[in-house]
Amino acid sequence: MGASVTETKKAIDKGNLLLAYDLARVAIDKGDTSAELRHLLVLTLARMGDGQQAMELYEEYGLHSSANAHHRSIAARILKDAALAMPDGDDRDEALSSAYRAYAKIYEDSGDAYPGINAASLALISGRKKQAQALASSIIALREISNPKDYYDAATLAEALLINERVDEAAAALYMASQLPDANSGAKSSTNRQLALLARILGLDADRENAVLAPISPPTVVHYCGHMFLEDAATEAALRNRIDEFLNKQNGDFAYGSLAAGADILVAEAMLARGGELHLTLPFLKEDFIEQSVMPAGEGWLERFEYCLAAAASVHFATEMNYVGDPAQFGYASKVAMGMAKLRADYLGTSPQQLALWDGVAVDGPAGTGADVKAWGSYGGATTVITPDTVDRNLSWPEQPDMDDLTRGLAAFLFTDFPGFSKLAEAALPAFWQGVMGRMGSVLDRYPDQVLAKNSWGDAVLAITLDAPVAAEIALALQETLQGFDYGLLGLSESSGMRIGVHYGPAYQTKDLITGKTTFYGTEVSRAARIEPVTPPGAVFVTEPFAAILILEASDRFKCRYVGNVEFAKGYGTYPIYRLMPV
């Protein structure tokens, strides 16, 4: 097994699908021709819910003709996921039947338990109980399943036993599976989702279902926040015990948050000590963060900060700017971390939890522990509060940047571009202006109160709104309105539409000294402008912060599919990018 396959599989096993995608994609782009690596990339896309791209690559990589039954089964898995996502009705029944037949054919040809157990489960889900139980019995009789040596074989045994309504034996098999050396978070979460569905179909009550599935409950993803305070060994030890109790009770193995002195570092140290993953989101440049959020509580925290930073599984900067005295910079980073925690939890099929070391005092501003708890609750999240009664919060704050007469806020920035515009004939420009720009202007006119600033130059359009879901709605509406345009009027045989890039972040708001209109400026506006040039025609690409906010605020309306780390033009850097799509 090659190094790329090994590392990609490790990431999948931990449910870190973004990392798995990046590892596999980079290796393939560099010339790795391994069929297994291609299988893992397609599997990763399927688990992320991007069935369309997964199926395209499945065909492109020729996995349908692989000698490996697991490789060939990916198409059936994509069909299954699509069918399960459909509303009840004849179309769903037919889709489930198609997925069942696909798995059953591979099982018939190969005798492999993986397509076999999926065929059995789909038979049960689609109302073919006798067929399901007959298939399950044949799988139980397989030597490797009746005497399992690894997690997947033991989990397959449990699933087959559950289908045959041998519930106590299924529970025992699941416990055995959970104790095997190769049991991992990704595998458990996948098994848990499948067996939970079967349990409900078989009529198990909630208590019975929970008891059976308890050994494979996926770990909890934690968003953490809390107050800064001075070092004190006794106080910290008491708080650390309560943090450990929470993490043990919740089986918290993945933590998302910042790394300020005090509560943040205590939680980070606790997560690292238990062998979990720490994912950090800092609000601005490291040097400024240390000055504002570490040193005010004393130099002793600095070494601990550096240790946690070096040991973290990932470190992201919500913005790559200095601290400018804007508290919204902190609140913005917290919300990005919340969104990334929710995204990870969604991949694992569980609900994220918030841990707050908080005195319970509510705040009105955009930043602080009270603001984080309030925001998390507004998104429907559950919070466990640890009250840090005896901490010393007599911090030595540095001088703050002057914000007098400056207005800043969070906003969504949308930029567009029409590929090939510069090559249009002069005679085609009026048709472009009326047909393309006119349609886009009509879309923006639907949002007179939400769009605070807009502009155009040539083929480009800028629109700014305070609300990320509104920006997503506008971006997709812009693409939709151009689908009916006749590009033959421009002398083009075909066109796949505008390129649209969207970002969300903090910026200055002011009056444009040239036009007299409201405008926004700052580092994040410049960052937003770099997205559109790397966007394929007809697509809407968004940044990770935008995707994070959207999953918190409008996951029922929009989905963001991970594209990968994309290099921006003019040496601006490489950033995680997502493709915006309607649900």
Side-chain angles (χ1 to χ4, degrees):
M1 186 182 295
S4 298
V5 169
T6 300
E7 292 305 310
T8 301
K9 190 175 185 308
K10 284 181 181 178
I12 293 173
D13 288 347
K14 291 183 177 181
N16 194 344
L17 300 182
L18 303 184
L19 176 60
Y21 179 93
D22 284 339
L23 290 169
R25 173 56 73 187
V26 168
I28 290 171
D29 289 346
K30 288 183 176 179
D32 192 314
T33 59
S34 163
E36 178 58 18
L37 186 62
R38 283 161 167 72
H39 163 251
L40 292 175
L41 176 59
V42 175
L43 174 63
T44 298
L45 287 166
R47 287 194 177 183
M48 288 196 294
D50 193 349
Q52 180 178 347
Q53 189 181 0
M55 186 65 85
E56 289 173 0
L57 291 181
Y58 172 85
E59 296 292 344
E60 178 183 332
Y61 294 154
L63 295 178
H64 60 282
S65 59
S66 171
N68 188 313
H70 289 226
H71 294 183
R72 300 200 305 277
S73 294
I74 287 288
R77 187 231 167 90
I78 296 168
L79 291 172
K80 178 185 77 172
D81 291 345
L84 292 175
M86 296 171 68
D88 290 340
D90 293 342
D91 289 344
R92 184 178 190 268
D93 293 342
E94 179 53 37
L96 287 170
S97 295
S98 295
Y100 159 72
R101 290 192 294 269
Y103 272 125
K105 181 65 168 64
I106 298 172
Y107 178 52
E108 180 183 343
D109 292 343
S110 67
D112 190 286
Y114 173 73
I117 193 60
N118 278 283
S121 292
L122 280 166
L124 183 65
I125 294 167
S126 59
R128 301 174 174 88
K129 189 172 184 180
K130 288 185 178 180
Q131 288 174 274
Q133 294 185 337
L135 277 168
S137 296
S138 72
I139 291 164
I140 292 170
L142 295 174
R143 180 181 301 176
E144 67 272 20
I145 302 303
S146 62
N147 187 26
K149 297 295 192 297
D150 62 31
Y151 172 84
Y152 277 108
D153 285 346
T156 297
L157 174 61
E159 189 168 345
L161 290 167
L162 183 61
I163 291 170
N164 278 340
E165 300 181 89
R166 295 159 63 177
V167 179
D168 290 339
E169 294 172 82
L174 282 179
Y175 177 79
M176 175 177 60
S178 71
Q179 301 303 303
L180 290 168
D182 62 334
N184 58 70
S185 301
K188 288 180 180 179
S189 65
S190 180
T191 305
N192 190 283
R193 280 193 293 268
Q194 177 99 328
L195 269 61
L197 177 58
L198 299 181
R200 288 190 286 274
I201 290 172
L202 292 169
L204 271 65
D205 62 47
D207 291 340
R208 185 74 169 122
E209 177 187 328
N210 291 336
V212 172
L213 300 183
I216 57 166
S217 294
T220 297
V221 179
V222 178
H223 172 263
Y224 63 91
C225 57
H227 298 303
M228 294 172 59
F229 50 80
L230 304 184
E231 283 188 302
D232 180 86
T235 299
E236 290 178 38
L239 289 172
R240 174 62 183 271
N241 285 338
R242 296 178 67 185
I243 292 168
D244 288 338
E245 287 175 5
F246 169 83
L247 294 175
N248 289 333
K249 180 179 179 180
Q250 295 292 335
N251 190 23
D253 281 352
F254 309 107
Y256 289 76
S258 190
L259 199 56
D264 286 355
I265 290 180
L266 274 187
V267 176
E269 289 173 336
M271 180 57 65
L272 293 172
R274 65 187 278 112
E277 285 185 6
L278 176 64
H279 296 271
L280 300 174
T281 301
L282 303 187
F284 36 76
L285 294 180
K286 174 185 172 182
E287 293 74 16
D288 283 12
F289 183 79
I290 290 173
E291 180 182 12
Q292 298 294 327
S293 298
V294 180
M295 297 303 291
E299 292 187 6
W301 289 105
L302 181 58
E303 182 178 352
R304 297 164 70 176
F305 166 86
E306 294 288 3
Y307 167 78
C308 292
L309 191 74
S314 69
V315 180
H316 299 282
F317 292 87
T319 66
E320 294 183 347
M321 66 172 71
N322 297 103
Y323 177 58
V324 296
D326 180 8
Q329 290 177 273
F330 292 98
Y332 169 65
S334 292
K335 290 182 180 179
V336 171
M338 292 177 197
M340 296 311 297
K342 188 175 188 306
L343 181 64
R344 183 66 174 277
D346 284 354
Y347 289 157
L348 289 169
T350 186
S351 297
Q353 302 288 314
Q354 184 180 67
L355 174 63
L357 276 68
W358 180 41
D359 60 9
V361 178
V363 296
D364 294 328
T369 307
D372 291 346
V373 172
K374 181 179 180 180
W376 187 260
S378 72
Y379 302 135
T383 299
T384 295
V385 175
I386 294 175
T387 306
D389 294 318
T390 60
V391 298
D392 186 345
R393 298 175 63 189
N394 186 28
L395 308 177
S396 300
W397 296 107
E399 184 177 352
Q400 298 297 295
D402 185 4
M403 281 284 290
D404 289 347
D405 301 323
L406 294 173
T407 300
R408 284 178 60 85
L410 296 173
F413 315 102
L414 181 152
F415 285 87
T416 77
D417 168 76
F418 185 83
F421 172 77
S422 62
K423 297 179 181 179
L424 292 180
E426 181 75 8
L429 293 181
F432 176 85
W433 188 253
Q434 295 296 326
V436 175
M437 301 300 281
R439 286 168 181 254
M440 297 179 75
S442 295
V443 169
L444 294 178
D445 286 344
R446 300 177 203 164
Y447 303 88
D449 298 326
Q450 293 98 328
V451 175
L452 300 186
K454 58 184 177 180
N455 204 349
S456 70
W457 50 99
D459 61 325
V461 171
L462 162 68
I464 300 175
T465 175
L466 300 182
D467 189 271
V470 168
E473 185 177 314
I474 291 172
L476 294 176
L478 289 174
Q479 290 292 29
E480 182 181 3
T481 194
L482 293 176
Q483 289 177 2
F485 179 70
D486 180 6
Y487 288 95
L489 297 174
L490 307 179
L492 301 175
S493 59
E494 61 180 14
S495 175
S496 51
M498 280 281 185
R499 301 187 298 198
I500 300 178
V502 195
H503 176 47
Y504 182 85
Y508 294 102
Q509 179 178 347
T510 189
K511 183 174 77 171
D512 190 310
L513 299 179
I514 305 301
T515 67
K517 299 177 180 179
T518 297
T519 191
F520 290 73
Y521 67 93
T523 302
E524 297 308 295
V525 181
S526 298
R527 182 177 173 185
R530 300 298 192 278
I531 307 164
E532 160 267 307
V534 299
T535 303
V540 180
F541 273 11
V542 303
T543 59
E544 190 162 78
F546 186 90
I549 299 301
L550 210 57
I551 196 173
L552 291 173
E553 298 183 354
S555 60
D556 59 329
R557 297 168 54 202
F558 308 102
K559 56 187 177 183
C560 296
R561 298 304 185 213
Y562 188 55
V563 173
N565 280 293
V566 176
E567 185 176 357
F568 285 11
K570 300 180 181 179
Y572 197 79
T574 301
Y575 298 92
I577 291 295
Y578 295 71
R579 181 169 185 158
L580 176 68
M581 303 167 68
V583 169

